[in-house]
Amino acid sequence: VDPRSGQILNSHIGVFHSVQELIQRWYFVMCAAVEPNARQYPLAPEVMGELVSNVVTHEVGHTLGLLHDFVGSTLYPVDSLRNVNFVRKNGIGASIMDYERFNYVAQPGDGFKGEDMMNKIGRYDYFAIEWGYRFHPGMEDPVAVAKTLKEWVDKKRAEDPAVFFLPENNLLDPRVQSEDCGSDQITANTLCVKNLKLLMANLEKWNPANDEENYVLKKRYVAILSHYENCMKHALKFIGGHYINNPSREEKYQTVYSQVPAEMQMRAVEFLCENVLREPKWLFDESIMKKVNADFDNYIAQPYTSLMNKLIGRCGQLEQSARLKDVKDIGLEIYARLEKELFISKKPNTPLTEYERLLQNVLVMQLSILAENQANFLNGNSASAREALLSIKNHVQAVREQSLANIDKQHYLALENFISIWETKKQKQLLEGNKN
């Protein structure tokens, strides 16, 4: 780069060989439900060529100075992404600089072909390149050029919402995420889960016949697990999230923060209740897990403990929302919903699964941490977490003796004792006793 002007003088793109393996898995997990060619292994050379070309085009954008545009994937309605004519005209997102790999909301029967599923150069990209490289004849004064560009940007933004941009470090805005697709991520990822269920139902059927050591089967299964987790993480960011509107322009375009509406946050909670708090048994197929040597601790316990930790952590973000004007306090409502899903909905005469006991443990542990966090004392989060813990304690006391399985009785007793120790502050005495 010329240090005097910022002009890019030279650039190189390095493509590591295993990127082919990576994009082959992405293509399978996001497109195989709709596109039969995505089920092949290895992919046909012409298909792989298109996929690599798509990746390289993104990297060329960087060599021209474009940043990641993670909001670009959220600017088209989900219904439009299921419309072939719309997608062929506009692509699946506003920018190829987004990590919007493929159109994973498309469903079997929507009429899509392989080339329709891929991201491509979008309306934002043309806008950004024109802004950066357009020559303005007769305008040698940089101040005049800057004024012209600002006026042009204002006009474009008023005419086309697809040129909206947010920096990728705006971590609280749920629109700034990688691997997402569509303006309504809860609806989009509900459709995605529907496709993943189809993949799981046909995973062995679509596996290559010569995969004697189950190498391809395991790679594809892990890819499904990973993409499912991504769908859940997309929903997590709506809880306690903020939208950042009209950024980076002085005067008229001031940065304005607004809370994600409470209704949208609760939609995200319901989505997580349905897909995380209720065990996705279809995803944990025992036959497939045995063939690929996927054990409970590493493939289920670790990632879903992490998801639960992040869920409670996102509830901690509600503290920041409480500082905004006209914000509805939904912390207690969220905790009550989690308690209902993980505890109250469980029938005492039905044994808990290992997965259910795991998530109950995580919820109680994280609520106790949230309740003791001094940062939450003044905003109500601590009180909400405390109330949820005491409610859970009353519930496990009531159902413990009704449980038929002894392991469930001991599990509930352990939770009750844990909450009692936290409640009476005896954990401090225990720690001091251990030191002695």
Side-chain angles (χ1 to χ4, degrees):
V1 175
D2 187 332
R4 300 167 299 178
S5 64
Q7 179 186 5
I8 299 171
L9 302 175
N10 195 302
S11 182
H12 297 271
I13 297 174
V15 181
F16 52 95
H17 184 270
S18 57
V19 75
Q20 294 182 73
E21 181 72 17
L22 181 62
I23 58 179
Q24 185 164 236
R25 292 200 300 271
W26 286 340
Y27 193 46
F28 173 80
V29 79
M30 298 187 199
C31 300
V34 173
E35 172 52 61
N37 289 328
R39 304 166 193 168
Q40 298 180 12
Y41 188 93
L43 292 175
E46 60 273 16
V47 174
M48 180 59 76
E50 287 295 322
L51 299 182
V52 172
S53 174
N54 188 266
V55 171
V56 171
T57 303
H58 173 103
E59 304 308 335
V60 168
H62 284 313
T63 72
L64 296 173
L66 299 188
L67 302 175
H68 285 135
D69 178 25
F70 286 159
V71 77
S73 56
T74 68
L75 300 176
Y76 293 159
V78 173
D79 287 347
S80 297
L81 296 181
R82 295 188 61 187
N83 184 304
V84 174
N85 293 330
F86 177 90
V87 169
R88 287 177 180 170
K89 179 180 179 181
N90 300 283
I92 64 174
S95 175
I96 200 167
M97 302 311 297
D98 199 325
Y99 283 170
E100 186 179 19
R101 312 297 184 184
F102 301 98
N103 183 0
Y104 61 69
V105 306
Q107 299 292 298
D110 285 349
F112 284 88
K113 296 181 179 179
E115 59 268 23
D116 302 322
M117 305 292 286
M118 303 179 193
N119 200 3
K120 62 182 181 181
I121 297 173
R123 281 145 62 185
Y124 171 81
D125 304 318
Y126 287 106
F127 161 75
I129 291 297
E130 186 173 5
W131 181 89
Y133 289 91
R134 182 177 180 177
F135 176 62
H136 300 274
M139 296 184 64
E140 299 180 359
D141 180 6
V143 175
V145 173
K147 182 177 182 296
T148 299
L149 286 174
K150 285 182 179 180
E151 292 173 351
W152 179 69
V153 168
D154 290 344
K155 184 174 183 294
K156 290 289 289 186
R157 286 178 56 165
E159 294 173 346
D160 187 359
V163 303
F164 182 71
F165 176 83
L166 289 172
E168 62 181 292
N169 60 353
N170 285 324
L171 300 180
L172 283 180
D173 194 315
R175 295 170 298 184
V176 184
Q177 300 196 66
S178 63
E179 321 290 342
D180 57 352
C181 190
S183 61
D184 183 343
Q185 292 176 38
I186 305 304
T187 298
N189 289 349
T190 298
L191 292 167
C192 178
V193 170
K194 187 177 179 181
N195 281 342
L196 292 179
K197 289 180 178 180
L198 181 62
L199 261 61
M200 282 298 298
N202 293 277
L203 192 57
E204 292 186 275
K205 176 183 176 182
W206 293 341
N207 205 50
N210 61 351
D211 187 30
E212 297 178 359
E213 297 182 359
N214 293 321
Y215 172 83
V216 179
L217 184 67
K218 183 169 186 175
K219 291 292 185 181
R220 286 180 166 181
Y221 180 59
V222 170
I224 291 173
L225 292 176
S226 177
H227 194 49
Y228 188 80
E229 290 171 35
N230 276 341
C231 288
M232 303 306 114
K233 291 174 182 176
H234 292 159
L236 281 172
K237 286 198 69 174
F238 285 90
I239 302 171
H242 301 81
Y243 292 130
I244 304 171
N245 302 308
N246 299 331
S248 71
R249 286 284 278 117
E250 62 271 20
E251 300 176 10
K252 181 179 178 181
Y253 292 106
Q254 297 275 333
T255 298
V256 178
Y257 295 86
S258 62
Q259 183 200 34
V260 173
E263 295 76 14
M264 186 63 189
Q265 295 192 54
M266 291 308 299
R267 278 187 66 205
V269 171
E270 290 298 330
F271 177 80
L272 292 166
C273 283
E274 182 177 351
N275 294 286
V276 175
L277 275 66
R278 297 174 199 168
E279 183 174 358
K281 295 182 180 180
W282 61 270
L283 188 61
F284 307 139
D285 185 285
E286 292 184 4
S287 173
I288 291 175
M289 292 185 70
K290 185 176 181 179
K291 288 182 179 180
V292 302
N293 195 28
D295 60 286
F296 180 88
D297 288 342
N298 291 301
Y299 288 81
I300 300 177
Q302 288 187 17
Y304 287 86
T305 294
S306 177
L307 281 173
M308 279 297 296
N309 288 340
K310 290 177 181 177
L311 172 56
I312 304 303
R314 294 303 304 177
C315 291
Q317 293 291 339
L318 294 170
E319 173 267 333
Q320 296 187 29
S321 297
R323 301 174 183 174
L324 300 175
K325 184 180 179 181
D326 299 327
V327 169
K328 180 181 178 182
D329 184 5
I330 60 173
L332 190 57
E333 185 178 354
I334 291 178
Y335 298 139
R337 184 65 187 89
L338 300 183
E339 178 192 356
K340 178 181 178 182
E341 191 63 49
L342 281 180
F343 286 93
I344 298 174
S345 66
K346 308 303 178 187
K347 297 179 180 179
N349 59 355
T350 302
L352 296 172
T353 66
E354 186 176 7
Y355 181 89
E356 291 170 331
R357 291 194 297 272
L358 169 75
L359 294 196
Q360 287 184 349
N361 283 333
V362 176
L363 178 62
V364 169
M365 179 70 71
Q366 290 301 314
L367 284 174
S368 70
I369 293 173
L370 202 60
E372 293 300 321
N373 187 341
Q374 294 183 12
N376 294 322
F377 286 176
L378 298 179
N379 57 50
N381 247 343
S382 177
S384 297
R386 287 169 179 269
E387 186 171 340
L389 277 170
L390 297 179
S391 178
I392 290 173
K393 179 186 176 183
N394 292 334
H395 175 77
V396 297
Q397 283 177 328
V399 302
R400 174 161 53 86
E401 292 305 321
Q402 302 176 42
S403 300
L404 299 180
N406 186 58
I407 189 172
D408 292 345
K409 292 181 180 181
Q410 297 305 315
H411 165 72
Y412 282 137
L413 178 61
L415 291 179
E416 180 184 338
N417 288 339
F418 178 89
I419 298 173
S420 295
I421 290 172
W422 162 80
E423 185 181 9
T424 58
K425 307 301 180 185
K426 287 184 178 180
Q427 74 270 33
K428 183 177 180 181
Q429 299 175 20
L430 291 173
L431 289 173
E432 291 175 349
N434 287 339
K435 289 179 182 178
N436 295 330

